[in-house]
Amino acid sequence: MLALLLEKKANAAMEACSAQAEGRAKKGKGKGKGKGKGKGKGKGKGKTPKCPKVTEIMDMAAEEYAGEMCVFTELGWMDNDMVSDDDLIMADIATLPSEIAEALTGDGYDEC
């Protein structure tokens, strides 16, 4: 019975986040550079690759995992600053059937 509460909560979260996902899908990723034609000049010498800045990495991760972050936020598992509510997560996991809850909280999960 308790697992049904988490199921309803998760379904509501996914429904709330689906509109956001549709908006991101319509936005698209742009054309990009594409592949050039003909022979190029080669790689060149002495240029060091440019590493992305931390903010760029965070922006890429936020875009890549926007759907998951939305669901976790809707569930109350994470706030807008990406701080998790571990007590609520564990309380929700405890509502699942024992074999599933054990798989998510047991020693085997910690080792993984």
Side-chain angles (χ1 to χ4, degrees), residues 1-4 6 10 12 20 30 33 38 44-45 54 56 58 61 64 75 81 85 93 96 98 100 106:
M1 288 288 192
L2 289 175
L4 289 176
L6 180 56
Q20 288 182 19
K33 290 184 177 180
K45 287 186 182 179
V54 172
E56 293 171 332
M58 293 299 288
E64 179 73 22
L75 287 169
D81 295 322
D85 184 340
I93 289 173
L96 298 171
S98 59
I100 296 172

Side-chain angles (χ1 to χ4, degrees), residues 60-75:
M60 287 187 292
E63 185 176 331
E64 179 73 22
Y65 298 105
E68 290 86 347
M69 290 173 13
C70 178
V71 172
F72 293 158
T73 302
E74 288 291 324
L75 287 169

